[in-house]
Amino acid sequence: MTETVTYELMVNGERRVVEGSWLGESLLFALRERLGLPGSKNACEQGECGSCSVRLDDRLVCACLVLAADAQGRSVTTVEGLTGADGDALTDVQRAFLDEGGVQCGFCTPGLVMSVHDLLDRNPTPDDLELREAISGNLCRCTGYGRILAAARTVVARRGEASLHESEGPA
Amino acid sequence: MTVTGERTATAGRLGHSAARPDGVPKVSGQFAFSSDLSADGMVWGHVLRSPHPHARIRSIDIGPALAIPGVHTVLTADDVLGDNSFGLEHADQPVLAHDVVRFTGEAVAALAADHPDTARRAAQAIVVDYEPLEPLIDAEEAITAPPIHPAGNIFRQLVIRQGDTSAEGEVVVEATYEVGMQDQAFMGPESGLAIPDDDGGVDLHMSTQWLHVDRDQVAACLGLPTEKVRLTLAGVGGAFGAREDVSMQVHICLLALHTRRPVKMVFTREESFLGHVHRHPARMHYRHHATRDGRLVKVEARIVLDGGAYASTSGPVLVNACCFAAGPYVVPNALIEGWAVRTNNPPCGAMRGFGAVQACFAHESQMDLLAAELGMDPVELRLRNVMKSGDRIPTGQVVSGAAPVEELIRTCAAVPLPPLDPSPAVMSMPGGSGRTADPARVRRGVGFAVGFKNLMYSAGFDDYSTARVRLEDGVATVTCAAAEVGQGFVTLAQQIVREVLAVDEVVVAPAETVTIGSAGSTSASRQTWMSGGAVERAALAVRARVDAGEAGPIEETYEHHHPPTFPLDENGQGVAHVSYVFAAHRAVVDVDLDLGLVRVVEIATSQDVGRVLNPLQVTGQIEGGIAQGVGLAVMEEIVLDRGLVRNASFTDYLIPTALDMPDVTIAALVEEPEPGAPFGAKGVGEPPTISSSAAVAAAVRDATGLALPRIPIRPQDIALA
Ligand code: FES
Ligand code: FES
């Protein structure tokens, strides 16, 4: 290959060194093949499927469209970096995907989990069209989206209940 | 009995929405798909593909590729260690083309390099001198054209003659229908890892639908005994038929044996479109004869399927298209002729619905045409002719199992229509965010369709599955080579064993070819019946020994065959199928008459399921299958231009997104237990795809008044009509 470079990335809160990388490598390639984080998937490498969705600082991006070297000095969060509240290994979105049957083959799942988190961070109570639009950049070929939409609605409902209880205070 | 929700069932057992054992790894990114694998010293494989649909290869110069630093090896046809041909039914496709290429995307050379980009650049450096030949692109012409392959152009020809083929009806309707080439478009691209072993064999980790048949084909092409090829299922990112044929399996094993290194290959999306079989494009001419009061007298059909360059499963797809050509109706007389032919188009094979999808679009379009001719309600016409248990299909075979078609039609048709929104949001109109629709020019339409197909393999194929159950210290382990492709067999296997052995902890061992026999293919809606049955019987044998007081580890293996079937005779008659499954769909659409854009508003459905074993998984199969049916109706087609694929990407080949997908209303899951089926359950994966396309097309016709004899329906078919 041509000239190689070494650089540092901040991934899931950790400093990671990418060594011997070709400058043209995407963030997706660096995550998957150089840093041992294959949770972000590659289904098109063209920004069309959302399987590679990761958070770059506080924006959701297609990791296949970002040059890895360009992500220096920014914070990358992948599905491997998600953790739930109260010591739960899974987030409420991940739990809801399981409870509602949003997972079949699972190839789209990490990207959709990132996408639903991103939406609900920005808009905690999306209506049906907002929800559909927010995940319309994530292709799923197995589920027809029905159970995925159900999972997102479940998260909204559960978060709503939880904050209601909080505001009511201890009984 | 009709159910629409969860019944009381013990958690984790049959009838309950048991959790997937692979669920937590899948939501947390820890599940290893085939594209996630790696090994020490691994190199990357890549395949050079033909840019021509038909050409003679004059010479291949691999020198420039070998000269690139980082390239380990470049292989051509001469380097294939065993047979240079493979195929599911007929080994008619070269592993690497040697004299002629017959489709755009045919493999010409395989190479391995230290980086995937090096491998891609090296492939571009190979110099192939092609002499382009005239491509044969028309399926009709292929029947009589000079052969483009030593095995000829006709994969299969079939005639079904039932009753009096000269019978005439008082009313006759006739039309020609077409279905375009659909792609399975699973999300996880083809990928695998081959690791050479010291014994001269190879360990292949692959995402596939049928491990043992892959193994057998790979071994023949490597010139190895089958036991030297050991296949383990790697995580599968969807399948839908496209992984039933060998894609890269032989190539990466050859590269591994030549380089003595682990070789990984991952297709790009473009390679995936070029490198697997598709749904057969079909041209179907139909003539329906009926009495004035709407009883079918005779169905005549002439079905031509374009099988593309190599055989794959074209023969069985044609058998299905012809057997189910008349639909789930009582048809006393029939004359059905079919051809599946070879062309220089991309090869076609299995896709969800397997021949029944194409036929359903035609027979349901004909039913609507007949209803219009008779001035009858389309649903009423279907009810008047509906098939029941004990009726025959045109092959003369009696449908002896459950056939609750009337209940499916009635329950589906009874779903209240979704209300018309007087001031619809822009995003919910055809064209959505494009803000193109003029509400005054949007029309609503409603369409109905019913379809059916066979469960399991047919026409004499000895279809079986093998499973082992071991009980030790209160933990049961299931070993079965059934490919989990996302459908949830691993969940079902656990549910069955929990039910039979009354244990809580059930481990599903990895699917592989070394310690267990074949489970057959994850296709034809067959794994619930075949592998589910094998698991059940192995577990029952274990339980019998437990009940007899035996202690210590108990292990039982069972090979489950379904009742024998037989090839059709020269009149297309015979007992070719084991069982059938039915579904009905009603589609509601909004159509922008000016721009030809369609928004599918709702799909209502009823499905014949035998028994619901896992409600959530059944729902998932129904919604997912409908998405693929909607896609075929209004979005999805591989566009060919003289044999060249014009849209091999997700930019140009569009599949439904969350915005395209309508709400799905499941009106009824009809539970009439199927005799002979384990737990009475029928496979549920294919029916949602069969009649949903036809229902959407009917709804668009209803909205526009156009004939629309072809799917997918494109905007120009409406706007420029
Ligand atoms: S892989 Fe990045 S969008 Fe598809
Ligand atoms: S679950 Fe398979 S692609 Fe979404």
Side-chain angles (χ1 to χ4, degrees):
Chain A
M1 212 82 244
T2 45
E3 214 184 317
T4 61
V5 289
T6 296
Y7 50 87
E8 245 181 39
L9 292 179
M10 189 67 160
V11 183
N12 299 331
E14 280 179 48
R15 257 174 221 301
R16 302 289 306 269
V17 179
V18 182
E19 278 179 72
S21 166
W22 169 53
L23 257 183
E25 284 173 4
S26 68
L27 177 59
L28 182 61
F29 188 87
L31 291 169
R32 291 177 52 79
E33 307 297 339
R34 302 222 176 258
L35 298 177
L37 294 169
S40 311
K41 301 301 171 202
N42 179 353
C44 77
E45 241 174 333
Q46 283 194 331
E48 293 288 357
C49 73
S51 310
C52 61
S53 301
V54 301
R55 211 157 52 210
L56 190 58
D57 292 334
D58 44 15
R59 274 189 50 217
L60 193 73
V61 297
C62 293
C64 70
L65 296 184
V66 175
L67 285 180
D70 253 1
Q72 289 181 87
R74 305 171 73 183
S75 151
V76 182
T77 309
T78 72
V79 69
E80 289 98 337
L82 298 179
T83 44
D86 304 327
D88 190 344
L90 300 183
T91 66
D92 55 354
V93 172
Q94 289 169 314
R95 288 260 166 242
F97 267 67
L98 296 176
D99 295 344
E100 299 295 341
V103 179
Q104 288 188 31
C105 86
F107 204 86
C108 66
T109 309
L112 271 154
V113 164
M114 296 304 292
S115 196
V116 171
H117 269 295
D118 178 67
L119 166 70
L120 298 183
D121 285 352
R122 289 183 286 110
N123 177 1
T125 53
D127 65 23
D128 182 63
L129 279 173
E130 287 170 335
L131 179 51
R132 286 176 184 269
E133 189 175 11
I135 65 164
S136 66
N138 293 79
L139 299 178
C140 172
R141 190 55 157 171
C142 298
T143 66
Y145 308 101
R147 301 303 91 208
I148 291 169
L149 294 165
R153 289 181 197 121
T154 294
V155 177
V156 172
R158 286 179 183 167
R159 286 187 185 179
E161 276 168 34
S163 66
L164 198 65
H165 289 154
E166 259 167 43
S167 65
E168 281 169 356
Chain B
M1 180 169 84
T2 297
V3 295
T4 48
E6 183 127 1
R7 288 176 305 176
T8 46
T10 309
R13 302 225 179 141
L14 293 177
H16 175 253
S17 292
R20 299 184 65 101
D22 55 8
V24 171
K26 282 179 173 174
V27 294
S28 53
Q30 303 298 327
F31 182 82
F33 289 93
S34 52
S35 51
D36 300 334
L37 304 176
S38 63
D40 286 342
M42 180 180 95
V43 291
W44 293 80
H46 188 78
V47 166
L48 174 69
R49 298 179 180 280
S50 165
H52 300 287
H54 196 196
R56 201 175 310 285
I57 297 176
R58 289 206 198 94
S59 65
I60 304 179
D61 182 5
I62 61 171
L66 279 173
I68 294 176
V71 173
H72 287 255
T73 190
V74 182
L75 308 179
T76 61
D78 292 341
D79 304 305
V80 176
L81 300 167
D83 300 341
N84 186 16
S85 58
F86 68 95
L88 262 180
E89 271 215 303
H90 307 284
D92 69 342
Q93 178 164 358
V95 173
L96 293 170
H98 52 106
D99 52 350
V100 179
V101 286
R102 296 189 182 83
F103 75 97
T104 309
E106 181 157 355
V108 174
L111 58 88
D114 58 3
H115 190 288
D117 289 317
T118 314
R120 281 175 213 174
R121 280 196 302 131
Q124 287 162 17
I126 298 173
V127 181
V128 186
D129 183 10
Y130 291 104
E131 176 194 337
L133 302 172
E134 188 60 28
L136 176 59
I137 53 168
D138 186 89
E140 221 23 271
E141 261 174 45
I143 297 173
T144 51
I148 55 169
H149 186 287
N153 290 351
I154 299 184
F155 295 129
R156 179 86 199 244
Q157 200 238 320
L158 182 66
V159 186
I160 295 175
R161 293 187 189 86
Q162 174 63 239
D164 174 7
T165 55
S166 61
E168 298 277 331
E170 295 161 319
V171 179
V172 178
V173 291
E174 180 170 0
T176 302
Y177 303 95
E178 282 182 17
V179 175
M181 184 184 284
Q182 188 180 21
D183 191 74
Q184 297 85 351
F186 45 60
M187 283 297 115
E190 286 88 346
S191 41
L193 175 67
I195 305 174
D197 203 330
D198 293 337
D199 68 355
V202 59
D203 285 292
L204 175 59
H205 301 263
M206 187 73 210
S207 44
T208 180
Q209 290 176 236
W210 193 352
L211 287 79
H212 286 74
V213 154
D214 275 12
R215 176 200 63 184
D216 295 350
Q217 293 182 77
V218 169
C221 296
L222 299 181
L224 290 174
T226 50
E227 65 274 12
K228 289 218 166 175
V229 177
R230 292 164 296 259
L231 208 138
T232 305
L233 184 70
V236 184
F240 317 117
R243 294 188 213 266
E244 196 161 60
D245 295 79
V246 158
S247 56
M248 62 169 62
Q249 286 89 324
V250 182
H251 300 136
I252 47 174
C253 289
L254 280 172
L255 289 166
L257 292 178
H258 278 273
T259 59
R260 308 298 308 154
R261 278 169 177 269
V263 177
K264 175 174 174 172
M265 195 184 293
V266 182
F267 280 2
T268 62
R269 183 53 56 183
E270 181 183 16
E271 289 174 289
S272 181
F273 273 104
L274 297 176
H276 63 233
V277 299
H278 312 286
R279 191 189 296 291
H280 287 75
R283 194 179 159 82
M284 303 168 286
H285 186 79
Y286 268 69
R287 199 181 288 137
H288 273 54
H289 296 250
T291 61
R292 271 261 151 249
D293 64 351
R295 283 187 204 281
L296 290 173
V297 172
K298 184 174 70 169
V299 172
E300 293 172 88
R302 182 180 190 282
I303 298 174
V304 179
L305 301 181
D306 183 348
Y310 296 106
S312 180
T313 48
S314 279
V317 172
L318 180 75
V319 171
N320 264 19
C322 291
C323 284
F324 309 118
Y329 304 111
V330 177
V331 177
N333 309 295
L335 176 59
I336 295 154
E337 295 174 277
W339 285 263
V341 299
R342 191 193 306 273
T343 66
N344 292 117
N345 290 322
C348 292
M351 182 173 175
R352 199 175 197 170
F354 204 79
V357 170
Q358 294 92 326
C360 182
F361 172 61
H363 66 65
E364 289 305 274
S365 300
Q366 281 289 100
M367 292 303 276
D368 286 346
L369 201 58
L370 183 59
E373 182 70 25
L374 294 168
M376 251 176 105
D377 176 70
V379 173
E380 187 51 42
L381 176 68
R382 286 169 170 85
L383 286 170
R384 190 155 298 183
N385 292 283
V386 72
M387 169 184 286
K388 296 180 184 60
S389 183
D391 289 327
R392 292 168 193 275
I393 64 171
T395 59
Q397 186 173 358
V398 173
V399 176
S400 55
V405 193
E406 180 173 349
E407 187 176 351
L408 297 176
I409 295 175
R410 289 194 189 281
T411 51
C412 185
V415 174
L417 284 167
L420 257 177
D421 189 343
S423 49
V426 169
M427 285 301 286
S428 69
M429 283 198 287
S433 59
R435 298 174 179 277
T436 50
D438 171 359
R441 297 286 292 155
V442 173
R443 293 286 179 279
R444 177 151 290 193
V446 180
F448 200 86
V450 197
F452 78 137
K453 86 174 282 287
N454 51 337
L455 293 170
M456 278 80 74
Y457 283 13
S458 293
F461 189 90
D462 183 19
D463 194 6
Y464 69 95
S465 174
T466 323
R468 181 180 310 123
V469 173
R470 181 182 172 86
L471 182 65
E472 187 172 2
D473 299 332
V475 178
T477 303
V478 185
T479 306
C480 180
E484 169 62 48
V485 301
Q487 83 280 31
F489 176 74
V490 288
T491 323
L492 183 63
Q494 289 186 321
Q495 290 179 264
I496 291 170
V497 175
R498 287 189 200 114
E499 183 84 27
V500 175
L501 293 180
V503 293
D504 290 327
E505 200 175 332
V506 181
V507 177
V508 182
E512 39 79 18
T513 58
V514 177
T515 70
I516 190 88
S518 178
S521 175
T522 295
S523 58
S525 301
R526 64 179 284 289
Q527 289 295 21
T528 295
W529 186 312
M530 297 307 302
S531 293
V535 170
E536 181 204 13
R537 280 155 220 224
L540 283 171
V542 170
R543 196 183 74 190
R545 289 169 58 184
V546 172
D547 290 348
E550 206 175 315
I554 302 177
E555 185 175 289
E556 288 284 349
T557 303
Y558 191 87
E559 190 176 288
H560 181 214
H561 295 250
H562 61 60
T565 62
F566 303 90
L568 296 172
D569 68 16
E570 68 280 5
N571 287 312
Q573 300 294 297
V575 176
H577 306 294
V578 181
S579 173
Y580 309 88
V581 65
F582 306 85
H585 293 90
R586 188 196 66 194
V588 177
V589 302
D590 285 341
V591 182
D592 178 334
L593 299 179
D594 296 327
L595 294 177
L597 299 173
V598 176
R599 175 168 178 270
V600 183
V601 176
E602 187 213 35
I603 302 279
T605 183
S606 291
Q607 188 164 320
D608 156 44
V609 296
R611 179 181 166 194
V612 177
L613 300 181
N614 184 317
L616 206 50
Q617 290 195 171
V618 170
T619 305
Q621 287 296 314
I622 289 176
E623 291 174 341
I626 286 173
Q628 294 179 5
V630 166
L632 176 60
V634 290
M635 301 173 75
E636 296 182 33
E637 179 175 13
I638 291 192
V639 177
L640 295 171
D641 177 7
R642 296 191 54 74
L644 296 177
V645 176
R646 286 301 187 200
N647 57 342
S649 75
F650 282 149
T651 310
D652 299 311
Y653 183 98
L654 301 182
I655 65 172
T657 68
L659 277 171
D660 302 305
M661 192 50 197
D663 286 327
V664 171
T665 302
I666 299 177
L669 302 176
V670 178
E671 290 192 295
E672 187 177 325
E674 178 71 349
F679 315 107
K682 290 183 175 184
V684 298
E686 291 176 288
T689 308
I690 297 172
S691 40
S692 50
S693 304
V696 172
V700 179
R701 283 186 197 119
D702 183 48
T704 60
L706 298 168
L708 301 173
R710 184 182 195 281
I711 50 173
I713 297 169
R714 301 161 301 180
Q716 61 265 41
D717 298 331
I718 297 167
L720 305 181

